[in-house]
Amino acid sequence: MAVITNDIIKEVKEVICDFFAEECEVDRSTITDNTRIIKDLGGDSLMFLELIEIFKKKYNLDVELKTIGKYTVKHPVETIGQLIETQMKIIEFENKLIDLEK
Amino acid sequence: MTRKVVVTGMNIISSLGLDLQTNWEHLVQGKSGVGYIRGFDASNLQTKIAAEVPDSFEEYAKSFIRKRQAGQMTRVTRMCVVCAMEAVKAAHIDFGQLDRSRCAVIIGVVNTGNSSVEKGTKPQNTIFKSMTNSMPAWIALEYGLTGPSFAVNTACASSAYSLGLGFDLIRSGQADLVITGGADSIINPEEMAGFNALYALSVRNDPPEKASCPFSKNRDGFVVGEGAGIVILESEDSARARGAEILAEVAGYALTGEAYNIMAPMTDGAGMAITMEKALKNAGLTTDDIDYINAHGTSTELNDRFETMAIKTVFGPRAHHIPVSSTKSMTGHTIGAAGAIESAITVMSIRESIVPPTVNYDDPDPELDLDYVPNQARKHTIRAAMSNSFGFGGHNASLVFRKFQP
């Protein structure tokens, strides 16, 4: 369980936007919270997994993929904003993410 | 009435160039694509030469494939996809106007090239890069094609098989259009060392461009090439309905297995002869109808001897009057891509009435006495032509193309 600070929020946003700008070859400034990952950026679901790995290393997270899977089934991620929100939850709750559903 | 199967698009990426026209011009000029290996340090290998695709390919590919997808493909897979995209463009196909569920993709491939020469692979991409079926999958994804999509592996005959299978999908009414072809590269230290251990490769490294010399007395093994070839097959009805230019007709083909030896062809080319005979029969043609044979012609002792014998068995006295050339003398042996590359070359020969030469034919083997079109291209009217592919494991294919007559 991590305490989410403004610095962490800023950092997560930056990592996610930089990642999509680089991988999808789009101008970083065009990515907003409402940008749709697949329809607007031509992204794919594997990118979500790659980002999880990046954040697991960065914040030394103890979280299993199946926990995230169960969470995202109920909270689908379509836009960059939703992705940032989900990543913040993962960082905040790690494996206890599952408890949010109880 | 049998549905006619026609060719409406083609492309080649090889050591001779990144598009069909450049390849054709170099083939007619008798230019060799063989050189010292640039892709890795080959100093410890017996064979230090290969026919590598020009280094400019990667920059060229960027205008076709997005960075994200490019990272999920090997260099060879990118060659396949780029080659297909250019062939589709050349054929002026608008898939929005076709029934995509009746459009198929069949790609012949043995190796995706996911070897030690492939650098910087993310763990998430390892499997995509290794899957041979990724090549047809990427092409189907590009155009949203939902007909059959699969890879076929029959070693050096792989992409010839893809054309044969595509032909049948159309003739049997299961598809209207099939993107066929192949892509391959074994230009990496592991596989070249393996082929060296089998004494299959030429070790005459100097000068590189002289090493591939099919049918010559001094031939000492094949020279490895790499690349991609795509041939778009379509029913005559589909081609006509969209006003496509018909480049040639696929008259027929044959596939056979020798069940003889994992490496060597059947003695005296018996299996090769059976394949050619069956292909002629399937095409409804006789030996008199064939005006050119694009030979498998690998520059190995056994293939060239046995293929010559097989041609004589099938064509009798006429064998000496049919130009037989091996374009592997220039492209090297592109393994899984060879059948498709050589099919495209054969169709170009029919259209242009030009037979590309067998280069490096400087030291004739007295026992091999056909007209191998030595060293210089030749003007020659071709009504119908045959392209042969014979693979390790005894996988044989002969394809017959003819000038399209409405």
Side-chain angles (χ1 to χ4, degrees), chain B residues 145-187:
Chain B
L145 309 183
T146 54
S149 162
F150 58 96
V152 52
N153 178 356
T154 51
C156 312
S158 299
S159 54
Y161 270 61
S162 85
L163 268 86
L165 296 170
F167 174 84
D168 272 348
L169 277 185
I170 294 170
R171 198 149 76 165
S172 64
Q174 295 182 75
D176 296 327
L177 183 150
V178 187
I179 298 175
T180 69
D184 220 322
S185 178
I186 57 164
I187 306 178

Side-chain angles (χ1 to χ4, degrees), chain A residues 19 22-25 41-42 44 46-47 50, chain B residues 62 65-69 72 122 124-125 128:
Chain A
F19 177 80
E22 170 79 13
E23 289 292 317
C24 298
E25 297 169 282
L41 297 177
D44 57 60
L46 274 174
M47 299 171 102
E50 285 181 48
Chain B
K62 282 180 186 168
I65 306 172
R66 298 181 66 187
K67 185 184 163 193
R68 171 81 187 163
Q69 282 74 33
Q72 295 171 333
K122 288 183 188 173
Q124 295 93 332
N125 294 338
F128 303 138

Side-chain angles (χ1 to χ4, degrees), chain B residues 3-7 167 170-171 233-235 248-250:
Chain B
R3 277 160 67 96
K4 274 191 185 174
V5 179
V6 297
V7 176
F167 174 84
I170 294 170
R171 198 149 76 165
L233 305 182
E234 199 166 352
S235 72
E249 180 188 346
V250 186

Side-chain angles (χ1 to χ4, degrees), chain B residues 202-394:
Chain B
S202 172
V203 292
R204 287 188 310 147
N205 295 307
D206 193 26
E209 62 276 10
K210 299 298 275 183
S212 185
C213 54
F215 307 109
S216 284
K217 194 177 174 184
N218 56 352
R219 67 190 185 277
D220 74 329
F222 73 84
V223 173
V224 176
E226 63 177 2
I230 293 288
V231 178
I232 295 174
L233 305 182
E234 199 166 352
S235 72
E236 181 189 3
D237 291 346
S238 172
R240 283 184 181 282
R242 63 180 190 86
E245 184 187 5
I246 294 176
L247 306 177
E249 180 188 346
V250 186
Y253 78 101
L255 313 177
T256 68
E258 296 197 347
Y260 172 76
N261 186 286
I262 197 68
M263 180 175 169
M266 202 178 255
T267 311
D268 299 342
M272 298 171 178
I274 290 166
T275 316
M276 287 187 251
E277 275 167 7
K278 280 177 182 268
L280 282 175
K281 194 174 172 194
N282 182 263
L285 298 179
T286 71
T287 52
D288 286 337
D289 296 316
I290 300 296
D291 294 318
Y292 169 55
I293 298 172
N294 186 293
H296 188 52
T298 54
S299 192
T300 59
E301 170 58 30
L302 284 187
N303 178 87
D304 296 0
R305 176 180 303 279
F306 290 166
E307 189 170 10
T308 296
M309 292 169 85
I311 290 169
K312 287 189 200 175
T313 302
V314 174
F315 290 88
R318 184 168 156 72
H320 294 279
H321 302 288
I322 303 173
V324 176
S325 69
S326 170
T327 41
K328 288 187 181 76
S329 58
M330 295 170 275
T331 62
H333 189 352
T334 55
I335 314 291
I341 287 176
E342 288 157 24
S343 290
I345 294 170
T346 304
V347 170
M348 284 300 285
S349 303
I350 293 171
R351 288 180 62 73
E352 303 289 328
S353 298
I354 295 174
V355 176
T358 304
V359 302
N360 300 325
Y361 189 75
D362 302 323
D363 184 14
D365 182 334
E367 293 183 51
L368 309 188
D369 56 353
L370 297 178
D371 172 6
Y372 300 113
V373 196
N375 305 319
Q376 288 205 322
R378 186 187 300 166
K379 285 293 285 181
H380 184 66
T381 302
I382 304 168
R383 296 162 299 156
M386 181 179 276
S387 175
N388 287 335
S389 295
F390 309 124
F392 268 27

Side-chain angles (χ1 to χ4, degrees), chain B residues 88 93-100 103 143 145 177 179:
Chain B
V88 166
I93 299 167
D94 175 2
F95 284 107
Q97 301 298 313
L98 299 175
D99 178 350
R100 285 183 165 98
C103 297
Y143 300 109
L145 309 183
L177 183 150
I179 298 175

Side-chain angles (χ1 to χ4, degrees), chain A residues 10-32 41 47 51 54-55 58 80 83-84, chain B residues 67-68 122:
Chain A
K10 193 179 162 207
E11 193 173 50
V12 167
K13 276 188 178 179
E14 268 177 16
V15 168
I16 288 176
C17 292
D18 286 349
F19 177 80
F20 280 100
E22 170 79 13
E23 289 292 317
C24 298
E25 297 169 282
V26 293
D27 187 344
R28 167 79 164 70
S29 63
T30 63
I31 301 176
T32 67
L41 297 177
M47 299 171 102
L51 280 165
I54 290 169
F55 288 118
K58 199 171 183 62
I80 291 289
L83 179 61
I84 292 168
Chain B
K67 185 184 163 193
R68 171 81 187 163
K122 288 183 188 173

